[in-house]
Amino acid sequence: MSPAWGTAIGALITAAVAFSVGRMTATTARERLHAEMRTEFMVREAINQLLQHKEWTRRSFGIIKYHIRGFTDDELRKLLVSAGAVAFDGRKVVDGERTEYWGLRTRNSHLLGYTAVDESKLRTVNDVAEHPDGDREPQQDISGSSS
């Protein structure tokens, strides 16, 4: 066998190994991206289910955060926006802050010009909230009366 054939065979083997490694890397990257997209898709579906409830057109950020866990506040806000939600502030100030509400743009387009929403006009949900003492009890509605 001449040295030229040896060099050619070596180059072919190197190319085949590089192709195989590249293909495995691309497959792994594609699978990872698919898993990430599946997670994002499932979160968007859960957000839409919360915000499309027939009785509540807006939900407080706290309730959304309670049901959609595993994300920082800012990550969750980005997911809300990507799901078609818009934010509203409540008029009441509690502990120096207004309650943050989120609703689907399609269900709240009539409010887009307002800077704050009236909490008394919201329907409330009888969700279960975790209390600091560990007990679970119905969430109080935003007007302060028990559900």
Side-chain angles (χ1 to χ4, degrees):
M1 182 184 286
S2 71
W5 279 105
T7 304
I9 290 173
L12 284 173
I13 291 172
T14 302
V17 169
F19 176 77
S20 295
V21 169
R23 189 171 181 186
M24 286 187 289
T25 302
T27 300
T28 303
R30 185 175 56 242
E31 288 171 356
R32 187 178 306 128
L33 179 62
H34 181 68
E36 289 173 10
M37 294 303 290
R38 182 177 49 231
T39 300
E40 187 173 327
F41 176 77
M42 295 305 291
V43 169
R44 284 184 190 171
E45 285 292 313
I47 287 170
N48 270 297
Q49 190 172 7
L50 278 170
L51 298 180
Q52 287 180 352
H53 193 281
K54 64 182 179 179
E55 293 184 44
W56 303 283
T57 58
R58 290 171 299 282
R59 304 299 285 268
S60 72
F61 186 74
I63 290 293
I64 296 167
K65 186 176 172 179
Y66 176 80
H67 290 290
I68 311 288
R69 299 177 187 180
F71 299 95
T72 66
D73 288 359
D74 285 339
E75 288 171 337
L76 186 53
R77 286 182 181 101
K78 287 177 184 177
L79 288 165
L80 282 159
V81 169
S82 72
V86 290
F88 299 95
D89 287 331
R91 288 189 178 160
K92 290 182 186 175
V93 177
V94 179
D95 296 330
E97 294 187 17
R98 293 178 187 261
T99 302
E100 179 179 347
Y101 293 97
W102 286 82
L104 291 175
R105 184 182 62 251
T106 55
R107 296 183 75 194
N108 292 279
S109 60
H110 62 287
L111 297 173
L112 290 179
Y114 296 95
T115 57
V117 294
D118 185 357
E119 286 92 341
S120 67
K121 302 272 193 280
L122 297 173
R123 287 273 307 169
T124 58
V125 64
N126 192 19
D127 282 326
V128 175
E130 193 72 31
H131 287 249
D133 60 2
D135 292 335
R136 295 171 70 92
E137 63 185 45
Q139 171 100 3
Q140 280 191 324
D141 71 14
I142 53 180
S143 65
S145 62
S146 295
S147 299

